[in-house]
Amino acid sequence: MRDRLPAPDLLAQIERFTGPVKEMRPTKRGFSSDVLALVDGGLGRFFVKGIRNPAGGRREQFLRERLINESVHTVSPRLCWHVESSDWMALGFEQVEAEPSRFEPGSPDLPAVLDLLRRIGDIPLPDLVVDWPETRWDAFVADPAEARLLRGDTLVHGDVAPGNFLVGSGNWVVDWSWPTRGAAFIDPGVLVLQFIAAGHSPAAAEDLLSECPAWLTSDGRGIDVFARANLRMWRHRAERFPEQSWLREMEATARAWVDHRST
């Protein structure tokens, strides 16, 4: 993995918040940002996430992550500062002592992961998310009636994955790049897929969520629609990028879930 440390021009912008930088080191996680670094400075220790800021870039995602932070502080590291110029956008979060979680059967992290999922579900829908409806799976449902089953008034993280659920001295959900308003089963459903991909059987994966309120109170028809939409989505991605074998693996994972729910 290449070192994604701040370039000199970005470093000059963030040092007014970090103070003189004493040490910088790349993180072990994350793929989609141009800068992912742990920065120790005279004014504190920060996790810095940055992107180049050209037209058509990831600016909207960074804006959402900045704006949502105050509403998710119960589960997410605190955003301490942000910078934006014509060349860069960067977010400076407090550093936390935690590592990516493990989802495989028998992992000691599973109780913490499930607790974090529950805590996301306990967050009241922030006002700013009302106008951010969940539409990521709309292209993969059969008709508008199925799409309506994915609607709701629950805060959705949308990217439930080991690298975004951190466990350690505290437990945290990170990478709130695309928070939306949607059905309560979406984040639990994504976690079911991740559990299956990690080696759980579909039945065991769903059973792990047996005490998750959002899962228990959701309409099974909506979950069925979501499972089928994920199968279509992963199949589409695997066909588009045949050289990426992990996409075929996720397609097989989604197929196993659909088959389980069809029996």
Side-chain angles (χ1 to χ4, degrees):
M1 180 181 70
R2 64 186 177 90
D3 288 355
R4 284 167 290 185
L5 300 177
D9 56 338
L10 176 58
L11 189 60
Q13 295 178 52
I14 70 175
E15 278 193 320
R16 59 193 171 112
F17 299 105
T18 65
V21 171
K22 303 173 183 178
E23 182 182 4
M24 295 191 300
R25 51 201 187 279
T27 66
K28 300 177 182 178
R29 57 166 295 276
F31 301 97
S32 57
S33 296
D34 299 305
V35 171
L36 290 169
L38 301 173
V39 175
D40 296 350
L43 298 179
R45 305 173 68 238
F46 306 95
F47 165 59
V48 179
K49 180 177 183 179
I51 57 167
R52 294 194 176 276
N53 194 17
R58 295 183 59 230
R59 183 173 185 274
E60 184 177 355
Q61 293 182 39
F62 259 58
L63 283 176
R64 288 198 185 199
E65 187 162 11
R66 173 169 67 83
L67 294 171
I68 198 65
N69 184 259
E70 184 177 355
S71 299
V72 299
H73 62 86
T74 57
V75 296
S76 176
R78 179 174 60 92
L79 178 65
C80 302
W81 47 264
H82 68 277
V83 298
E84 180 172 5
S85 68
S86 59
D87 297 318
W88 288 99
M89 293 183 70
L91 305 174
F93 296 90
E94 63 179 331
Q95 277 193 39
V96 296
E97 299 297 328
E99 297 288 338
S101 55
R102 295 163 53 190
F103 283 7
E104 66 266 23
S107 167
D109 299 339
L110 295 182
V113 169
L114 293 167
D115 181 63
L116 283 169
L117 184 75
R118 177 192 58 77
R119 288 164 59 192
I120 294 174
D122 287 343
I123 298 173
L125 185 71
D127 290 342
L128 77 163
V129 181
V130 170
D131 294 327
W132 296 345
E134 178 54 69
T135 59
R136 277 170 282 196
W137 286 271
D138 282 13
F140 304 103
V141 296
D143 52 47
E146 286 196 350
R148 285 193 291 272
L149 292 174
L150 305 184
R151 304 293 183 260
D153 292 316
T154 297
L155 174 64
V156 175
H157 180 279
D159 192 11
V160 179
N164 291 335
F165 276 48
L166 308 183
V167 298
S169 57
N171 302 321
W172 310 95
V173 181
V174 299
D175 200 6
W176 287 87
S177 298
W178 209 253
T180 58
R181 172 175 59 87
F185 58 75
I186 290 179
D187 278 344
V190 175
L191 183 58
V192 166
L193 275 172
Q194 290 286 335
F195 280 163
I196 298 170
H200 299 266
S201 70
E206 289 193 350
D207 189 59
L208 283 168
L209 273 74
S210 62
E211 296 183 9
C212 174
W215 183 259
L216 291 175
T217 59
S218 290
D219 186 339
R221 295 175 303 163
I223 298 174
D224 290 341
V225 165
F226 187 65
R228 293 193 297 269
N230 273 279
L231 175 57
R232 297 185 189 107
M233 181 186 73
W234 288 113
R235 180 189 298 137
H236 171 76
R237 292 179 178 177
E239 290 172 351
R240 186 178 179 188
F241 302 103
E243 73 283 1
Q244 298 188 30
S245 60
W246 71 273
L247 293 173
R248 283 296 180 194
E249 293 170 2
M250 286 304 302
E251 179 189 355
T253 293
R255 166 60 68 186
W257 191 27
V258 168
D259 289 347
H260 167 71
R261 295 196 62 83
S262 300
T263 58

